[in-house]
């Protein structure tokens, strides 16, 4: 970023990101593109000429957050600032955003970011409203030569965009469009480039990485997702490889075999289950049964290393009975997850479940969420205690000055806060003796 000379006349931008890791990584692409165009990133809206929100519409609350933010900043319009809405709310609401927030001049979905420079030129030329909403079928949005990664040690690489699963509750297929995989050659070239720059951890990203299909190469030479994963893990200099998100329907045994064969592949899999009741899974159009989900868990439990498993759950899907909910609680017990991201079902525009009968009242959804989280807390309290007395390798991620502790992350994706007699370097790998545990983190001491 510092290669671009700074001067007083330089245009500035502020960018705030909501939503999932795909959005976080998209923002790194947007920052890189704008910096290349001569813009400078600033920390506050006050300092910025251009104010951008990279938005999420997965649940109603996420969407509301964006409109509240926009309403807050109405006053800045008088100061000549330009407002833009990017990401999933932009793609979902399209030009309707101009009506709800008339001071917005740019609305752009994630597949059109490569056109941002051109859109900004149009705004500078006096055009009031500019949109980029059209490229979801074709544009891969994988242009990465300018990507401004914020962390110098671990970085994301997009391997597949969009989603073809159309779960009954989900906006993603509408906001991010059809599945488009990137060639394995290009993923590997980027991973090698990152390794040369000193990155040691890579996280492969996609809404459904398991349906990755290498679009180029001779038949037979095209890489499956598991082969791509292993190939990234074998790049010299790369010490950790993660991937997210997996869909149980497409999660193959070959992924577990790859984790067994390649030590740099992290011993952690995030496999969203959504519900423990086959009846609800069917209504959600998840394309697997409880038993099939548990079969995948059994593959992981049979791995050579213990694989840490985390999941997502939705409570209060239309028609979810007490019996269905009890099946979900029982599944949590049976699997023993190391983290559960649980959400109250939120009805979303364009999705089939919006029209389903037997909606669950909000206070009942809230009750189920609370019960589920209390149960999972108990499970995690026991699971995390098992690490006391063991030694874990962490990547040193930050220092918590207030607590005089360092923050590390284990290969199985747990936060391990530790004290250290000698100062560890950020981004380095260190051995830590685990001395204590909480339901969501571990405590330890650096091994000298
Ligand atoms: N592609 C990922 C999920 C991405 S969205 C997958 O298939 O697993 C992240 C999580 O948000 C989902 O796993 C689901 O638990 C939750 N979610 C998605 N739509 C939702 C909705 N309408 N209401 C509540 N939670 C939702
Ligand atoms: Fe949404 Fe389902 Fe696709 Fe995940 S797999 S992004 S939940 S439609
Ligand atoms: Fe949200 Fe879009 Fe990600 S809806 S969860 S930002 S794909």
């Amino acid at each position: 970023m510092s290669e671009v000379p700074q001067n007083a006349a330089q245009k500035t931008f502020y960018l705030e990101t909501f939503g999932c890791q795909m959005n976080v990584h998209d923002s790194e692409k947007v920052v890189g593109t704008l910096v290349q165009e001569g813009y400078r990133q600033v920390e506050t809206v006050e300092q910025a000429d251009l104010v951008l929100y990279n938005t999420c519409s997965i649940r109603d609350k996420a969407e509301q957050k964006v409109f509240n933010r926009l309403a807050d900043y109405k006053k800045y319009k008088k100061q000549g600032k330009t407002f833009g809405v990017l990401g999933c709310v932009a793609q979902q609401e399209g030009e309707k955003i101009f009506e709800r927030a008339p001071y917005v001049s740019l609305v752009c979905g994630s597949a059109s970011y490569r056109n941002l420079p051109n859109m900004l030129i149009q705004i500078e030329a006096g055009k009031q409203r500019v949109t980029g909403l059209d490229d979801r079928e074709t544009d891969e949005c994988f242009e990465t030569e300018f990507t401004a990664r914020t962390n110098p040690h671990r970085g994301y690489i997009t391997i597949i965009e969009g989603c073809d699963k159309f779960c009954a509750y989900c906006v993603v297929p509408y906001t991010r469009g059809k599945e488009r995989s990137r060639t394995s050659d290009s993923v590997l070239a980027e991973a090698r480039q990152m390794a040369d720059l000193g990155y040691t951890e890579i996280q492969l990203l996609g809404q459904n990485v398991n349906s990755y299909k290498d679009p180029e190469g001779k038949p037979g030479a095209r890489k499956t997702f598991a082969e791509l994963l292993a190939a990234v893990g074998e790049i010299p200099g790369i010490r950790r490889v993660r991937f997210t998100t997996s869909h149980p329907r497409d999660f193959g045994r070959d992924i577990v075999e790859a984790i067994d064969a390649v030590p740099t592949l992290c011993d952690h899999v995030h496999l969203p289950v959504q519900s423990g009741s086959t009846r609800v899974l069917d209504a959600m159009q998840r394309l697997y049964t409880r038993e099939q989900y548990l079969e995948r868990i059994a593959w992981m439990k049979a791995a050579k290393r213990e694989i840490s498993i985390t999941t997502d759950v939705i409570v209060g899907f239309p028609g979810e009975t007490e019996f269905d909910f009890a099946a979900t609680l029982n599944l949590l017990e049976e699997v023993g997850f190391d983290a559960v991201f649980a959400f109250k079902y939120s009805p979303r525009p364009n999705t089939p479940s919006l029209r389903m009968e037997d909606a669950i009242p909000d206070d009942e959804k809230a009750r189920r969420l609370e019960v589920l989280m209390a149960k999972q807390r108990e499970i995690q309290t026991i699971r995390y205690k098992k690490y006391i007395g063991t030694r874990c390798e962490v990547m040193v991620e930050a220092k918590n000055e207030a607590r005089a502790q360092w923050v590390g992350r284990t290969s199985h994706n747990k936060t391990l806060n530790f004290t250290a007699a000698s100062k560890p370097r950020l981004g380095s790998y260190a051995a830590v003796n685990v001395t204590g545990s909480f339901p969501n983190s571990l405590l330890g001491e650096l091994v000298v």
Side-chain angles (χ1 to χ4, degrees):
M1 267 196 270
S2 53
E3 289 153 27
V4 181
Q6 294 191 10
N7 61 59
Q10 195 177 9
K11 293 167 289 185
T12 53
F13 74 97
Y14 169 85
L15 171 62
E16 186 174 354
T17 306
F18 303 86
C20 64
Q21 286 139 317
M22 307 268 315
N23 257 18
V24 172
H25 186 42
D26 281 349
S27 283
E28 295 179 333
K29 298 176 192 172
V30 169
V31 169
T33 306
L34 292 179
V35 168
Q36 192 63 27
E37 291 299 305
Y39 280 80
R40 180 164 59 87
Q41 189 171 16
V42 291
E43 296 300 316
T44 64
V45 174
E46 282 79 3
Q47 296 168 289
D49 303 314
L50 172 65
V51 179
L52 298 174
Y53 296 109
N54 189 5
T55 64
C56 172
S57 64
I58 199 81
R59 286 169 290 275
D60 185 53
K61 244 193 206 152
E63 185 177 339
Q64 286 312 323
K65 225 186 250 172
V66 175
F67 285 102
N68 293 344
R69 202 59 113 246
L70 285 170
D72 272 0
Y73 291 124
K74 232 182 229 171
K75 53 188 176 198
Y76 294 115
K77 185 66 186 177
K78 290 197 197 76
Q79 299 170 13
K81 295 187 194 301
T82 301
F83 281 85
V85 179
L86 313 179
C88 291
V89 177
Q91 190 67 50
Q92 175 187 293
E93 296 298 304
E95 300 195 351
K96 279 189 270 173
I97 291 179
F98 296 132
E99 267 118 67
R100 254 175 106 171
Y103 35 90
V104 167
S105 12
L106 172 73
V107 170
C108 182
S110 63
S112 303
Y113 294 155
R114 72 171 81 231
N115 298 329
L116 272 175
N118 180 26
M119 292 179 203
L120 292 170
I121 289 170
Q122 291 179 46
I123 291 174
E124 272 171 30
K127 202 164 169 200
Q128 301 280 318
R129 290 173 172 184
V130 180
T131 57
L133 300 164
D134 303 324
D135 303 325
R136 289 174 311 150
E137 303 292 300
T138 50
D139 196 312
E140 294 181 338
C141 198
F142 293 142
E143 277 305 325
T144 49
E145 65 255 50
F146 310 132
T147 301
R149 290 193 168 85
T150 44
N151 184 307
H153 314 294
R154 59 181 158 83
Y156 295 123
I157 300 182
T158 313
I159 64 162
I160 176 168
E161 266 286 355
C163 182
D164 289 346
K165 280 285 180 292
F166 291 91
C167 301
Y169 51 80
C170 184
V171 293
V172 171
Y174 311 97
T175 63
R176 288 194 172 257
K178 272 175 47 173
E179 276 177 4
R180 291 97 71 203
S181 293
R182 176 181 179 181
T183 66
S184 60
D185 282 350
S186 127
V187 172
L188 288 168
E190 189 175 6
R192 278 188 212 107
Q193 212 174 31
M194 286 171 69
D196 289 344
L197 289 169
Y199 285 85
T200 57
E201 179 174 323
I202 284 179
Q203 183 158 358
L204 303 180
L205 280 186
Q207 281 301 342
N208 178 3
V209 289
N210 305 132
S211 63
Y212 174 81
K213 278 177 203 70
D214 197 351
E216 262 177 35
K218 294 196 189 82
R222 297 182 187 192
K223 286 197 169 32
T224 62
F225 171 63
E227 287 164 351
L228 177 62
L229 196 56
V232 174
E234 276 156 3
I235 292 174
I238 296 302
R239 292 183 61 162
R240 285 184 174 181
V241 184
R242 303 183 188 279
F243 55 97
T244 199
T245 295
S246 289
H247 189 291
R249 162 87 174 203
D250 306 324
F251 184 89
R253 208 170 194 155
D254 55 349
I255 296 170
V256 182
E257 284 159 9
I259 294 174
D260 271 345
V262 184
T264 52
L265 303 188
C266 287
D267 41 358
H268 168 229
V269 172
H270 184 65
L271 194 65
V273 65
Q274 314 300 0
S275 169
S277 153
T278 296
R279 209 184 60 80
V280 173
L281 290 172
D282 195 40
M284 287 176 164
Q285 296 167 33
R286 283 292 285 181
L287 311 173
Y288 55 87
T289 62
R290 175 190 173 101
E291 288 66 35
Q292 284 167 328
Y293 184 84
L294 290 173
E295 186 185 19
R296 278 132 189 86
I297 298 294
W299 297 342
M300 285 191 264
K301 288 194 173 169
K304 291 183 193 147
R305 285 182 277 168
E306 184 183 344
I307 297 178
S308 168
I309 308 165
T310 57
T311 200
D312 294 346
V313 170
I314 297 177
V315 298
F317 190 74
E320 183 189 71
T321 62
E322 271 299 332
F323 189 74
D324 295 318
F325 178 59
T328 300
L329 295 179
N330 168 276
L331 183 117
L332 299 188
E333 289 275 4
E334 192 165 340
V335 177
F337 293 107
D338 278 340
V340 173
F341 301 90
F343 311 100
K344 290 191 285 181
Y345 167 70
S346 170
R348 306 306 294 131
N350 308 320
T351 62
S353 64
L354 191 62
R355 295 181 301 276
M356 283 181 189
E357 291 171 0
D358 302 323
I360 310 294
D362 195 61
D363 52 353
E364 177 57 17
K365 285 190 226 172
R367 189 192 69 80
R368 290 182 192 179
L369 186 66
E370 220 167 276
V371 170
L372 185 139
M373 292 200 318
K375 156 126 298 189
Q376 182 57 25
R377 208 179 156 81
E378 278 169 26
I379 294 172
Q380 277 174 226
T381 304
I382 296 166
R383 289 191 62 80
Y384 280 51
K385 245 189 204 135
K386 285 192 317 188
Y387 289 95
I388 297 176
T390 67
R391 182 173 286 189
C392 291
E393 186 188 61
V394 297
M395 184 204 249
V396 183
E397 294 198 338
K399 180 159 192 205
N400 183 332
E401 294 288 352
R403 289 209 201 142
Q405 278 176 345
W406 298 85
V407 184
R409 186 159 299 275
T410 66
S411 165
H412 32 67
N413 208 32
K414 292 183 180 61
T415 303
L416 202 175
N417 297 305
F418 62 97
T419 50
S422 58
K423 194 175 156 190
R425 190 174 51 80
L426 291 184
S428 68
Y429 290 80
V432 176
N433 286 331
V434 180
T435 55
S437 74
F438 300 98
N440 284 302
S441 65
L442 301 170
L443 197 64
E445 277 163 16
L446 183 73
V447 176
V448 191

